[in-house]
Structure formats: structure tokens, C-alpha cells
Amino acid sequence: MPPGFQDEGLRAAVALRAERPGLPVLVLSQYVQRTYAADLLDSGDGTGVGYLLKDRVGQVEEFLDALSRVADGGTVVDPEVVRQLLRRRRDPLEALTPREREVLGLVAEGHSNGEIARRLFVTEAAVGKHIGNILGKLDLPPAEETHRRVLAVLTYLRA
């Protein structure tokens, strides 16, 4: 949605529901934005709201059915949105090994891979492997618009 083609549509949907909690809103998004999805689905009394992923709406009939259900006060949520919201409630660091947590803690302190390697008495290649594992376990795939290492640190600090 213009002007920035980023999260303006999601922010607008959440703001509209905050102003008018009963307003039916169906969001079609390219990706799952967990914070906005949770805010949107928690808005009002949780009825008359939907969050679908654009690439998963395969048939016009499916879309029209979802639109009708939301307009009639129902709730429609893409299964991928549900999966990601449920994962959000778990400790995101639970999948990390103790060593990976230690590496992530040192990353959060601002240390380079070389410095982390020196502190842990391992090679830089080992640190790189740990960081790769951390990014994978935190479900942070490569993306041009984000910096995965920063996102991993934010996840660490929130946990």
C-alpha cells in the first residue's frame, strides 16, 4: 500500500479497528507480520476480522467466501498466520543449544565473529556455523529488507 509499500495497510487496518472495533476488516498481505496480525485479531471482540496471505488465496470463490464471512462478523485467518502466531508465544530461544545461546549473547553485546571466537576458544568458522544455526532455528531467512543478525539480537533481548 502506498506510499512506502511496506506495512502501511496493516497499520491502517489496526488503527481502523481501534477507532471502530466492530468494523469488518479483511487484510490481504504478502507476508505475516506477527505483531500487526496479533493486534488486528485481538481488536474489538475478535469478530469481523480476517488476515489472509495473498499468494495463498487461490480461487476467487474462496476470497469472496472469506470476505462474506468477515462482513457477517466471522473471523478468517490463514493457517500460516495461525502457525506463526502460535510460535510467537513460545520462547523463541528454546530451540537453541546452550552454546548457541552463548554465541547469541555475545552477538547481542556487539562482538564480532573474531572476538566471539577468541572468547570461546573456537575458530571463526565455528562461530559462523553457530550463527547460521541460530538464524535457521529462529526462522530468519535471508531477505534484502532486513538484517538477520539484528533481528536475532532483538529476539534474544525480548526473550
Side-chain angles (χ1 to χ4, degrees):
M1 183 173 177
F5 297 96
Q6 302 228 349
D7 61 2
E8 294 87 358
L10 290 166
R11 286 188 288 135
V14 170
L16 286 168
R17 288 284 290 196
E19 284 184 33
R20 296 187 50 204
L23 178 70
V25 173
L26 176 60
V27 168
L28 286 174
S29 183
Q30 189 67 38
Y31 57 92
V32 179
Q33 176 50 266
R34 292 183 202 152
T35 302
Y36 291 123
D39 289 348
L40 182 65
L41 295 170
D42 286 340
S43 65
D45 61 359
T47 62
V49 67
Y51 194 118
L52 298 175
L53 296 177
K54 291 177 185 178
D55 62 344
R56 293 172 50 103
V57 177
Q59 301 287 330
V60 173
E61 294 82 22
E62 288 176 32
F63 172 71
L64 293 175
D65 177 59
L67 194 57
S68 256
R69 286 189 289 163
V70 169
D72 290 340
T75 302
V76 178
V77 183
D78 188 284
E80 178 61 18
V81 174
V82 172
R83 185 181 73 77
Q84 289 200 29
L85 287 175
L86 289 175
R87 183 176 19 178
R88 174 181 108 140
R89 293 200 169 107
R90 294 187 327 222
D91 176 6
L93 304 181
E94 72 185 356
L96 302 183
T97 66
R99 179 61 106 182
E100 289 165 348
R101 282 179 184 246
E102 187 175 19
V103 168
L104 185 54
L106 291 168
V107 170
E109 291 175 11
H111 298 292
S112 68
N113 286 9
E115 178 58 23
I116 294 169
R118 279 188 288 286
R119 285 176 179 242
L120 299 180
F121 303 102
V122 298
T123 65
E124 278 192 58
V127 172
K129 180 131 177 88
H130 286 307
I131 291 174
N133 290 340
I134 291 165
L135 298 175
K137 289 178 180 180
L138 294 180
D139 194 25
L140 296 170
E144 288 186 26
E145 64 276 359
T146 59
H147 192 289
R148 298 183 312 153
R149 194 169 170 127
V150 171
L151 294 175
V153 167
L154 291 172
T155 301
Y156 176 82
L157 294 174
R158 287 181 187 127

